[in-house]
Amino acid sequence: MRKTVILALMTLLLGACDNKVKFTIEGNIEGAKDSVLYFEHVSLSGLKPLDSLKLGADGAFRFQADTTAAPEFYVLRIHDQIINISIDSTETVTVKAQYPNMAARYEVEGSDNCEKIRSLALMQQDLLRKAIALEQDMTIPPGDAQDSLRRMMNRYKETVLENYIFKEPNKTYSYFALFQTLGRWLIFNPKESREDLRVFAAVATSWDTFYPGAARTENLHNIVIESMQQLYGNAYASTAQQGDGPTIVESGIIELQLPDKNGNLLTLSSLKGKVVLLDFHTFTLPESAQRILMLRELYNKYHEQGLEIYQVSLDQDEHFWKQMTQHLPWVCVRDASLQSAMSYNVTDVPEFFLINRNSQLQKRSSQMKDLEAEIKALL
C-alpha cells in the first residue's frame, strides 16, 4: 500500500510539473511526403528550433508549445518555404497548405491574427513580384523605374496603414507588418523616414499599454529611440521643440511638447513624479462640458496627492480653444496637426491614458472600468 501511495504521489507531482498552458498548431501539408517540417520560434535573436517531424503521405502534423505571457511568433518551415504564425493566447491554429509553394498556398483557421498575417505575406509576395518585373523591364528608363517602384511602395504602405496597423496597432499582425521587407530593404524604415518612425512609435505605445515590460515592447521602444537619434541627431529633443515630431523618453512614453494658450511649450515628461491623466479632447463635442466637470472633480480631489492632467486639445479653432481653457487649472495644450493623436493611436475622442509617477504608460481608456479607482491605485 505504501508503494502504491508513493507511486500515486510521484505521478501527481510529475503531472503538476508539466501542467503548463499550451497552444497547438496542427493541420496537413499536401505533396510533402517524406519532407521534414520544422516548427521554430522567431525570437528577437533569431530562429530557435522547437520541434520537427517527417511528414507522411497525408501530410498531417501537430505541434504544441507553452503559451507565453505576451504574444510571440513562430514559423512552420520546409526548406525555404515558410508559414508565419503568431500566438497571443491558448489557441489551436489549423494550417492547411500545399507544397512545394506552401508559403503562398495555405489556409489558416482559429486565429484572426494569423489570417491577417497570411494576407500581409501574400501582399508582400505580390509587391516583390511586381518590383522584380519592373527591374527586368529593359524598356523602362532607370529613373522612371525608380519612380514607379516608389509609387508602388507608397501605395502598399498606405494600404497596410489603413487596413492593418492603424486599425489595431496592439495586434501581432501590426507588429509583423512593421518588419516586412522588399528584398533586403525594410518597407517601413524608421531610421530613414520620419513618417515611418511615427508608425513604429504608434505601435510601440499600443504594445506598451497592452504588454508592458514584454521583450518585444522594449524592442520597439529601443528601435524608436535609436531611429530618433539617427534622424534628428543628438539634439533630437531640441528639434522636437520646433514641432518636428514626437520623441520618446527613456522610460518609454512618447514625448509630447505642445504649446499652451500663452505659446509656452509644455512637455509631458516634465510631469514625471506625478500620476498623469493624458487626455485627448475636443471642446466642440456635445458632451464636452459634462466631461470637463468630471475632470474638475477628479483634479480637485486628487491634485494635492499628486494627480496632474495633461489635456491635448485637437480643436482647429485656436481662439475658441483659448476661451474654453481660460479658467482650467491643469495643463492645457493644443495640437491642430493631430500628430500627437496619431502617435498615441487615438482614432476617436475623448480618449485618455494613465501614466504612473515614473513616466510609464499604464493603461488606456478601454482597459479601465473605474477611472477614479485606477488613479487612486497609482497614487
Side-chain angles (χ1 to χ4, degrees), residues 107-364:
E107 298 176 356
V108 61
E109 296 178 356
S111 169
D112 182 63
N113 274 302
C114 290
E115 174 56 31
K116 293 288 200 310
I117 286 174
R118 185 186 77 89
S119 299
L120 285 163
L122 294 179
M123 288 167 54
Q124 178 188 17
Q125 293 169 28
D126 184 57
L127 178 65
L128 180 60
R129 283 192 293 269
K130 290 178 179 177
I132 292 173
L134 190 63
E135 182 182 19
Q136 294 176 345
D137 191 339
M138 296 294 101
T139 64
I140 304 176
D144 292 346
Q146 287 295 321
D147 290 340
S148 296
L149 179 59
R150 190 177 300 109
R151 287 193 294 271
M152 284 168 48
M153 288 274 286
N154 288 337
R155 285 195 298 270
Y156 184 89
K157 290 165 73 171
E158 289 171 3
T159 299
V160 171
L161 288 174
E162 181 180 353
N163 298 329
Y164 296 88
I165 294 178
F166 284 158
K167 273 193 171 181
E168 293 181 299
N170 62 300
K171 297 295 187 180
T172 54
Y173 64 77
S174 294
Y175 185 104
F176 176 84
L178 291 182
F179 297 96
Q180 285 191 295
T181 60
L182 183 62
R184 296 181 294 110
W185 310 105
L186 278 171
I187 294 174
F188 291 94
N189 192 335
K191 294 187 177 181
E192 293 185 0
S193 165
R194 295 182 182 185
E195 291 303 317
D196 291 354
L197 174 58
R198 290 189 178 96
V199 175
F200 266 78
V203 177
T205 301
S206 188
W207 274 61
D208 199 32
T209 302
F210 286 88
Y211 312 110
R216 292 189 182 277
T217 302
E218 297 301 320
N219 180 54
L220 285 174
H221 283 307
N222 291 337
I223 291 172
V224 174
I225 292 170
E226 292 171 5
S227 301
M228 286 298 302
Q229 292 171 339
Q230 182 161 324
L231 282 175
Y232 295 99
N234 292 330
Y236 68 89
S238 61
T239 305
Q241 291 177 0
Q242 303 169 16
D244 202 18
T247 64
I248 288 191
V249 297
E250 289 186 2
S251 60
I253 64 168
I254 294 182
E255 177 70 295
L256 299 180
Q257 190 155 21
L258 296 167
D260 65 7
K261 58 179 177 291
N262 298 316
N264 300 315
L265 290 171
L266 303 178
T267 63
L268 181 58
S269 61
S270 67
L271 301 178
K272 186 175 182 178
K274 297 180 181 294
V275 172
V276 180
L277 174 62
L278 172 60
D279 184 67
F280 289 89
H281 188 73
T282 301
F283 284 90
T284 54
L285 289 172
E287 63 271 25
S288 175
Q290 182 179 354
R291 179 168 177 76
I292 293 300
L293 283 175
M294 182 271 290
L295 292 178
R296 271 188 180 276
E297 290 179 7
L298 288 173
Y299 187 85
N300 292 339
K301 194 171 182 178
Y302 297 107
H303 177 62
E304 290 187 0
Q305 298 179 40
L307 174 68
E308 187 54 82
I309 298 174
Y310 188 98
Q311 187 171 54
V312 181
S313 167
L314 306 179
D315 290 279
Q316 298 299 304
D317 188 331
E318 183 177 7
H319 178 69
F320 173 73
W321 165 70
K322 286 183 177 180
Q323 285 184 317
M324 299 303 295
T325 59
Q326 187 174 1
H327 300 295
L328 296 182
W330 52 77
V331 177
C332 298
V333 295
R334 176 173 166 270
D335 181 16
S337 73
L338 309 183
Q339 289 185 359
S340 60
M342 181 186 299
S343 298
Y344 276 85
N345 189 43
V346 174
T347 58
D348 196 11
V349 289
E351 176 64 287
F352 56 92
F353 303 79
L354 274 182
I355 300 169
N356 68 17
R357 294 182 186 271
N358 295 319
S359 286
Q360 294 172 330
L361 195 64
Q362 295 298 296
K363 294 182 179 180
R364 69 185 301 150

